């Protein structure tokens, strides 16, 4: 399957360089270019890309706002594109805000071509493009963001329906009580997500298959009405959950749990 990519950057030179890198891969193709946030939103709806590479610092509508509109107000059909934030600086305040607005991850503009291509494939496959160390740093700093950089929408107290997501997922980060909607085993997986672990690492820790972990994480996001793992990690952090749930056997740990046999999802 060919991954369809939309480029959103106000600098034509950057878009040209990105296009050259992407179009050289047989499984990747650029379907359009946007010079500002408004174009990014309209082009995403029109062209239906799998992934949007979004510069956060653009004139007019910022990449943060464009990301929020794409991820939380997607009119369909199908699922909203995955948004990867492009930035010159590692983890600046705009990147924090874009991740909180629903971005699937971020890339530095000077990333090597192979790393860029891998990140696009990873995002298209539903995985976050964030190293564990980056996730932990985000958790430590994002709650101190200036209010002006955060998405503005009313908060709501009720958990998401178990068969669907609310439209304003990012705003649910202000309501840690939503974790009551999760089972104990989902909470255990959420703790490991909050620690920045990949699906493979969580699978090893809980004694599950990687496919089961992916399904469980998706179920957690659905029940909490969130868009991605970063938002889930932030919610767990704000609820003080990261050290409060008994884990399965971890490397170097003596604790054990029968998660793989007790959870019906582990046999599917």
């Amino acid at each position: 399957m060919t991954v369809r990519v939309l480029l959103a950057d106000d600098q034509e030179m950057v878009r040209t360089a990105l296009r050259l890198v992407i179009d050289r891969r047989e499984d990747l193709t650029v379907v359009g270019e946007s010079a500002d946030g408004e174009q990014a939103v309209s082009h995403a709806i029109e062209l239906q890309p799998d992934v949007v590479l979004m510069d956060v610092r653009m004139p007019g509508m910022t990449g943060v706002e464009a990301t929020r509109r794409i991820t939380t107000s997607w009119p369909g059909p199908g699922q909203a594109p995955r948004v990867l934030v492009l930035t010159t600086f590692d983890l600046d305040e705009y990147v924090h805000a874009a991740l909180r607005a629903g971005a699937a991850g971020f890339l530095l503009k000077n990333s090597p071509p192979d790393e860029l291509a891998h990140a696009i494939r990873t995002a298209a496959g539903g995985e976050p493009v964030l190293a564990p160390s980056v996730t932990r740093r985000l958790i430590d700093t994002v709650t101190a963001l200036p209010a002006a950089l955060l998405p503005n929408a009313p908060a709501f107290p009720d958990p998401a329906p178990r068969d669907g997501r609310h439209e304003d997922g990012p705003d649910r980060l202000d309501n840690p009580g939503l974790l009551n909607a999760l089972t104990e085993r989902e909470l255990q997986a959420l703790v490991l997500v909050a620690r920045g672990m990949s699906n493979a690492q969580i699978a090893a820790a809980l004694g599950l298959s990687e496919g089961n972990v992916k399904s469980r994480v998706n179920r957690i996001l659905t029940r909490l009405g969130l868009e991605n793992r970063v938002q889930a990690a932030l919610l767990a952090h704000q609820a003080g959950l990261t050290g409060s749930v008994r884990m399965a056997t971890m490397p170097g740990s003596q604790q054990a749990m029968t998660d793989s046999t007790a959870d019906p999802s582990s046999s599917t």
Side-chain angles (χ1 to χ4, degrees):
M1 182 188 79
T2 300
V3 178
R4 295 161 51 83
V5 182
L6 172 66
L7 307 177
D9 195 294
D10 60 313
Q11 298 184 44
E12 183 177 1
M13 184 178 298
V14 172
R15 298 197 306 271
T16 299
L18 291 171
R19 178 182 281 274
L20 288 173
V21 170
I22 294 169
D23 282 345
R24 287 178 179 174
R25 272 66 182 177
E26 292 184 359
D27 60 333
L28 306 177
T29 186
V30 174
V31 296
E33 299 183 15
S34 306
D36 56 45
E38 290 187 9
Q39 287 186 8
V41 174
S42 63
H43 287 166
I45 295 171
E46 175 189 354
L47 300 172
Q48 301 281 307
D50 300 302
V51 175
V52 179
L53 294 184
M54 181 80 72
D55 180 19
V56 289
R57 296 179 182 238
M58 293 187 288
M61 182 189 295
T62 67
V64 174
E65 176 61 18
T67 297
R68 186 190 69 79
R69 295 194 185 188
I70 290 172
T71 59
T72 65
S73 303
W74 183 247
Q79 295 184 338
R82 305 277 288 177
V83 178
L84 291 182
V85 173
L86 293 172
T87 179
T88 305
F89 304 101
D90 183 5
L91 285 179
D92 69 6
E93 59 191 13
Y94 287 88
V95 174
H96 291 156
L99 290 170
R100 180 156 180 159
F106 83 95
L107 291 170
L108 295 177
K109 289 186 177 180
N110 62 353
S111 297
D114 287 344
E115 184 177 318
L116 171 64
H118 176 72
I120 293 171
R121 297 185 188 105
T122 299
E127 293 283 347
V129 184
L130 289 170
S133 60
V134 172
T135 300
R136 286 191 287 270
R137 285 155 61 196
L138 282 168
I139 290 171
D140 290 339
T141 60
V142 77
T143 54
L145 284 175
L149 286 176
L150 300 180
N152 294 318
F156 41 85
D158 299 325
R162 296 205 172 204
D163 60 349
R165 299 186 186 181
H166 279 294
E167 292 184 355
D168 346 53
D171 302 295
R172 304 176 70 77
L173 298 180
D174 298 325
N175 191 356
L178 292 166
L179 296 175
N180 293 330
L182 302 182
T183 67
E184 180 179 356
R185 289 179 176 83
E186 287 169 346
L187 287 171
Q188 290 162 347
L190 178 59
V191 168
L192 298 184
V193 169
R195 292 179 181 176
M197 296 175 69
S198 67
N199 283 349
Q201 291 170 323
I202 295 174
L206 297 181
L208 301 172
S209 71
E210 192 169 344
N212 277 328
V213 171
K214 184 175 181 179
S215 296
R216 186 171 298 186
V217 172
N218 287 337
R219 191 162 61 244
I220 290 169
L221 298 180
T222 296
R223 291 186 175 181
L224 297 179
L226 302 175
E227 298 297 329
N228 57 47
R229 296 162 73 110
V230 176
Q231 292 175 359
L234 292 173
L235 182 60
H237 173 74
Q238 291 174 358
L241 185 66
T242 52
S244 64
V245 176
R246 185 167 65 91
M247 288 290 95
T249 302
M250 298 286 289
S253 170
Q254 299 300 313
Q255 292 181 309
M257 181 181 73
T258 58
D259 183 88
S260 59
T261 58
D263 186 355
S265 68
S266 65
S267 61
T268 58

